[in-house]
Amino acid sequence: MVGAAVGFGAYALTHRDNFRWRDAALWTAGGAVAGGTLGAAAHYAAGLVASSSAASTATTAAGTLATAASADGDPTNEVRTVAERTITLLQREGNIVEYALRGPKGQMNVMAEIVRKGETLILRGTHIEGAGPGSQGIRELREFARMFGREQGVTKVVIEGGVRTTGANPGHVPRDIVISVK
């Protein structure tokens, strides 16, 4: 996971003026493969793990973004469906998560830091990638936030936008969106 974070960070720093999520995903996956391979080689060389375990470590780290590691080791339970909407965890590193949201209007990917304060779930530094401007709309985002909030057992979800890298007003931080969970 450290390799994935390094890969994403390297891409974000070197492509500030032309950031694209699709390319960032490739750099992230490349970082995960490199990190897993180097980590497995170091463990093997040090004699800390058996060769079969080292291969398993590299294979696990090189997993695709579409099937991210799960907290309980079972990625099949990371997909939730409600009324034609699914939320799939793509990857997690501490409190930083990336989800694929699929609904009637298509798919969007959301990356944010998740913080819980009492009955409120806060998504900090949120970045959203979709099919294009206006393809999803605020109504769809609110429905996903309510679905996620109900699952997390909170009464409110606050989406704090990250600094825009592309689209309208690069460098601008969007206003917070506060959603009551019904």
Side-chain angles (χ1 to χ4, degrees):
M1 292 309 265
V2 172
V6 170
F8 179 83
Y11 179 85
L13 288 173
T14 59
H15 291 82
R16 286 184 210 140
D17 297 329
N18 60 346
F19 185 91
R20 291 175 35 152
W21 280 102
R22 187 169 293 122
D23 294 339
L26 292 174
W27 280 57
T28 302
V33 170
T37 303
L38 292 173
H43 281 290
Y44 182 73
L48 296 176
V49 293
S51 60
S52 62
S53 178
S56 173
T57 301
T59 303
T60 300
T64 64
L65 293 176
T67 308
S70 167
D72 62 0
D74 181 12
T76 60
N77 64 1
E78 299 299 330
V79 177
R80 281 108 35 215
T81 304
V82 175
E84 299 182 34
R85 287 184 178 82
T86 62
I87 299 175
T88 306
L89 176 65
L90 298 179
Q91 61 182 341
R92 172 186 299 271
E93 181 69 29
N95 288 346
I96 309 293
V97 296
E98 181 180 10
Y99 285 99
L101 313 177
R102 289 182 188 85
K105 294 184 176 185
Q107 176 176 323
M108 60 182 144
N109 287 5
V110 175
M111 182 178 282
E113 175 186 11
I114 296 185
V115 177
R116 184 177 178 140
K117 288 190 175 183
E119 294 294 313
T120 302
L121 193 66
I122 303 167
L123 283 66
R124 288 201 175 128
T126 304
H127 290 276
I128 301 172
E129 178 194 28
S135 62
Q136 299 291 325
I138 190 71
R139 173 181 272 166
E140 193 69 7
L141 182 62
R142 287 181 183 276
E143 288 302 319
F144 277 113
R146 284 187 188 103
M147 178 180 159
F148 190 63
R150 280 190 295 273
E151 177 183 288
Q152 298 297 315
V154 297
T155 59
K156 183 169 49 173
V157 175
V158 178
I159 300 172
E160 298 176 353
V163 177
R164 295 187 68 116
T165 56
T166 61
N169 304 316
H172 172 74
V173 177
R175 66 176 176 79
D176 292 353
I177 302 170
V178 180
I179 300 136
S180 294
V181 176
K182 297 176 183 174

